[in-house]
């Protein structure tokens, strides 16, 4: 008797599955916040060179300190074509000449080609949107602006490493070293603890290098939580409910984006925001201990809980004795073709989706509204894709959405800057 038949014979989906799925989906929602957290903690505010009066120069006699404050910005900082201060340049002329009543301020290219230099006294940041970000705290602008992307890349590298580490630990029931038993439950619980500790410590780190290191550790837990949550949800669901259960996982990752926007709107300091989305995992960790073990591992722990499960448990116990590795995916021609196709699909969709989703500030609108829309518009598309998978199958659904996504990516190349329509359509198609 297959385990799916056992589930159907005892009622299919009951309170046990509902309570377990609810708990796992809450943790998925919270880890979804971490996945897009740097949209807010690493936001780049408007900035310009800090106008500091050299100690060996004095203001002209016609200027008082209060009168000069309005001139200090115009004097040392060139103005760009949009009549805004240049972000990374300042005039290299003497202050007495710049503060002269007859001085003029050049605009555009002429202001940046002559008598300019890089900022030497730091930067002034606009704090009207965010009180502080990692960009303002560690001056990740101008020559150092690429370090912001480095931090995000290291987080995604952690996701990659975590998939390998937690995937292996989850699939191996017995680890020879110290005879420690893992399965999916223990790596999942460890992931909760790791993200709680790493995320909380990140909120108090004094340097950018240590920030990157702990973001890497946080990225590892994303894979540990997502992979093991999906497996635990599907293993205890009947076959006919697995498509909907898997779609719920996507819903709650999307819902996490909306929750993140709301929390970030209220908490404008990056350290407090980091702490706000990390501390709840301590509660998740404490509440995760009652999680049941995967169904196929139960015969190795205790006698069968019911006579109807006996035949299934014996079959599963026998299957666990054979060791399988990732290389088995490439031994059979059919499995090799399917595996390679899915690898290409995941790479192309993730490459495009995360390229858009992890820097919503570039859309040029209110960052909180964009983040909410990014998640809200995704919700009906998840529903549409779920219905399509149920009624026309996964293969046609995937082919249709990937083709539409590719078309929209191509069309998006010709959309003028500031137009979000095709950008959003591309995002929601690529997301799932």
């Amino acid at each position: 008797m297959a385990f799916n038949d056992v589930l159907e014979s005892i009622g299919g989906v009951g309170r046990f599955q509902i309570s377990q799925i609810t708990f796992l989906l809450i943790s998925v929602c919270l880890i979804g916040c971490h996945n897009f957290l740097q949209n807010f903690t690493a936001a780049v505010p408007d900035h310009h060179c800090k106008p500091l009066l050299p100690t060996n120069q004095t203001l002209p006699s016609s200027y008082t300190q209060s009168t000069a404050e309005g001139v200090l910005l115009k004097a040392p900082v060139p103005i760009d074509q949009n009549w805004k201060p240049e972000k990374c340049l300042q005039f290299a002329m003497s202050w007495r000449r710049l503060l002269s009543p007859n001085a003029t301020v050049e605009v555009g290219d002429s202001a940046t080609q002559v008598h300019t230099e890089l900022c030497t006294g730091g930067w002034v940041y606009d704090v009207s949107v965010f009180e502080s970000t990692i960009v303002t705290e560690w001056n990740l602008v101008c020559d150092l602006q690429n370090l912001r992307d480095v931090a995000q890349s290291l987080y995604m590298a952690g996701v990659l490493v975590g998939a390998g580490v937690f995937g292996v630990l989850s699939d191996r029931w017995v680890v020879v070293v110290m005879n420690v038993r893992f399965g999916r439950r223990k790596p999942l619980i460890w992931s909760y603890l790791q993200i709680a500790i790493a995320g909380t410590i990140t909120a108090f780190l004094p340097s950018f290098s240590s920030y990157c290191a702990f973001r890497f550790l946080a990225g590892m837990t994303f894979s540990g939580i997502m992979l093991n949550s999906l497996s635990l949800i599907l293993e205890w669901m009947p076959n006919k409910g697995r498509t909907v259960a898997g779609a719920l996982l996507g819903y709650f990752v999307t819902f996490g984006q909306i929750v993140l926007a709301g929390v970030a709107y209220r908490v404008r300091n990056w350290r407090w925001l980091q702490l706000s989305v990390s501390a709840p995992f301590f509660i998740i960790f404490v509440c995760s201990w009652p999680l049941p073990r995967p169904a196929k591992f139960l015969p190795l722990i205790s006698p069968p809980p019911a006579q109807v499960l006996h035949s299934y448990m014996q079959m599963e116990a026998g299957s666990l004795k054979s060791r399988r590795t990732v290389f088995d995916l490439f031994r059979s021609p059919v499995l090799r073709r399917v595996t390679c196709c899915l690898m290409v699909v995941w790479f192309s969709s993730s490459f495009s989706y995360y390229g858009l989703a992890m820097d919503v500030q570039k859309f040029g609108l209110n960052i909180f509204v964009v983040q909410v829309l990014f998640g809200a518009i995704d919700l009906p598309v998840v529903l549409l894709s779920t219905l399509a998978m149920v009624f026309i199958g996964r293969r046609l659904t995937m082919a249709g959405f990937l083709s539409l996504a590719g078309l929209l990516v191509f069309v998006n190349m010709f959309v003028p800057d500031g137009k979000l329509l095709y950008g959003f359509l591309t995002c929601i198609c690529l997301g799932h």
Side-chain angles (χ1 to χ4, degrees):
M1 176 182 289
F3 188 60
N4 180 69
D5 298 329
V6 174
L7 287 177
E8 293 290 352
S9 66
I10 61 177
V13 179
R15 286 182 297 176
F16 167 74
Q17 286 100 329
I18 293 175
S19 60
Q20 175 177 281
I21 291 174
T22 301
F23 175 81
L24 293 173
L25 290 180
I26 291 174
S27 66
V28 166
C29 176
L30 291 175
I31 199 63
C33 293
H34 272 271
N35 209 32
F36 301 96
L37 181 61
Q38 211 169 286
N39 280 341
F40 300 97
T41 59
V44 183
D46 289 335
H47 55 277
H48 56 78
C49 295
K50 187 175 183 179
L52 295 176
L53 184 65
T55 56
N56 60 347
Q57 295 193 34
T58 58
L59 293 170
S61 58
S62 58
Y63 285 92
T64 63
Q65 184 65 40
S66 59
T67 306
E69 287 179 354
V71 184
L72 288 178
L73 175 59
K74 296 181 180 179
V77 182
I79 305 300
D80 63 16
Q81 297 286 0
N82 297 320
W83 288 92
K84 293 183 178 181
E86 289 283 351
K87 297 181 182 296
C88 302
L89 295 175
Q90 64 183 17
F91 283 119
M93 303 166 63
S94 69
W95 274 83
R96 182 169 293 277
R97 178 180 173 187
L98 286 170
L99 291 176
S100 170
N102 298 323
T104 59
V105 178
E106 297 180 273
V107 178
D109 294 337
S110 61
T112 59
Q113 291 173 355
V114 216
H115 303 304
T116 58
E117 61 183 0
L118 297 177
C119 300
T120 57
W123 289 265
V124 174
Y125 297 97
D126 179 12
V127 294
S128 61
V129 179
F130 296 101
E131 292 179 7
S132 71
T133 67
I134 66 170
V135 173
T136 63
E137 182 154 338
W138 293 310
N139 291 324
L140 305 182
V141 293
C142 299
D143 290 343
L144 300 180
Q145 62 182 344
N146 291 332
L147 292 181
R148 173 176 174 267
D149 298 326
V150 169
Q152 185 66 72
S153 298
L154 287 174
Y155 173 84
M156 296 305 296
V159 175
L160 177 63
V161 173
V165 173
F166 289 109
V168 170
L169 292 179
S170 301
D171 288 336
R172 289 183 178 273
W173 174 235
V174 178
V175 178
V176 179
V177 180
M178 298 178 63
N179 197 30
V180 178
R181 294 182 174 183
F182 284 94
R184 294 190 176 91
R185 177 176 170 271
K186 289 185 178 179
L188 179 60
I189 294 175
W190 173 261
S191 297
Y192 292 149
L193 180 61
Q194 182 172 324
I195 185 60
I197 295 176
T200 301
I201 292 178
T202 301
F204 300 96
L205 293 175
S207 66
F208 177 72
S209 57
S210 58
Y211 170 86
C212 290
F214 278 87
R215 282 291 288 170
F216 176 85
L217 295 176
M220 291 181 62
T221 64
F222 177 80
S223 296
I225 292 174
M226 292 296 295
L227 294 176
N228 289 297
S229 295
L230 179 61
S231 297
L232 287 174
I233 288 174
L234 297 183
E235 283 181 356
W236 286 100
M237 287 292 293
N239 286 341
K240 63 181 181 181
R242 290 181 177 179
T243 299
V244 176
L248 282 175
L249 201 75
Y251 261 117
F252 274 77
V253 174
T254 298
F255 185 63
Q257 299 182 45
I258 301 176
V259 172
L260 174 63
V263 176
Y265 182 80
R266 298 295 300 174
V267 183
R268 304 296 182 95
N269 183 293
W270 80 268
R271 292 186 181 275
W272 284 107
L273 178 59
Q274 178 76 39
L275 187 62
S276 298
V277 298
S278 300
F281 275 102
F282 284 109
I283 301 175
I284 297 291
F285 168 72
V286 172
C287 297
S288 64
W289 285 97
L291 278 175
R293 292 175 173 86
K296 68 178 182 179
F297 294 145
L298 290 178
L300 297 180
I301 303 167
S302 59
Q307 188 63 31
V308 70
L309 298 177
H310 181 72
S311 61
Y312 169 76
M313 296 302 183
Q314 294 299 322
M315 180 182 64
E316 287 294 331
S319 67
L320 288 172
K321 296 179 181 178
S322 60
R323 291 291 183 88
R324 299 293 183 182
T325 67
V326 68
F327 298 105
D328 293 324
L329 295 173
F330 300 92
R331 298 187 190 280
S332 166
V334 175
L335 271 179
R336 184 167 57 247
R337 182 175 66 252
V338 172
T339 301
C340 291
C341 287
L342 290 178
M343 289 171 63
V344 173
V345 167
W346 270 106
F347 175 82
S348 58
S349 60
S350 298
F351 183 82
S352 302
Y353 174 70
Y354 286 119
L356 292 169
M358 289 189 167
D359 192 9
V360 296
Q361 192 177 19
K362 65 174 173 283
F363 286 105
L365 298 179
N366 185 293
I367 187 173
F368 304 103
V369 174
V370 173
Q371 186 69 63
V372 170
L373 290 177
F374 205 97
I377 297 177
D378 202 20
L379 294 176
V381 177
V382 176
L383 177 61
L384 176 62
S385 63
T386 303
L387 294 176
M389 287 188 291
V390 170
F391 291 105
I392 67 176
R394 291 180 176 88
R395 182 179 300 180
L396 290 177
T397 301
M398 180 180 293
F401 272 86
L402 287 174
S403 299
L404 178 60
L407 176 63
L408 291 175
V409 168
F410 179 77
V411 172
N412 199 43
M413 296 170 54
F414 305 98
V415 177
D417 293 340
K419 301 297 183 180
L420 294 177
L421 175 61
Y422 288 104
F424 275 127
L425 289 176
T426 302
C427 293
I428 58 181
C429 290
L430 288 172
H432 297 275

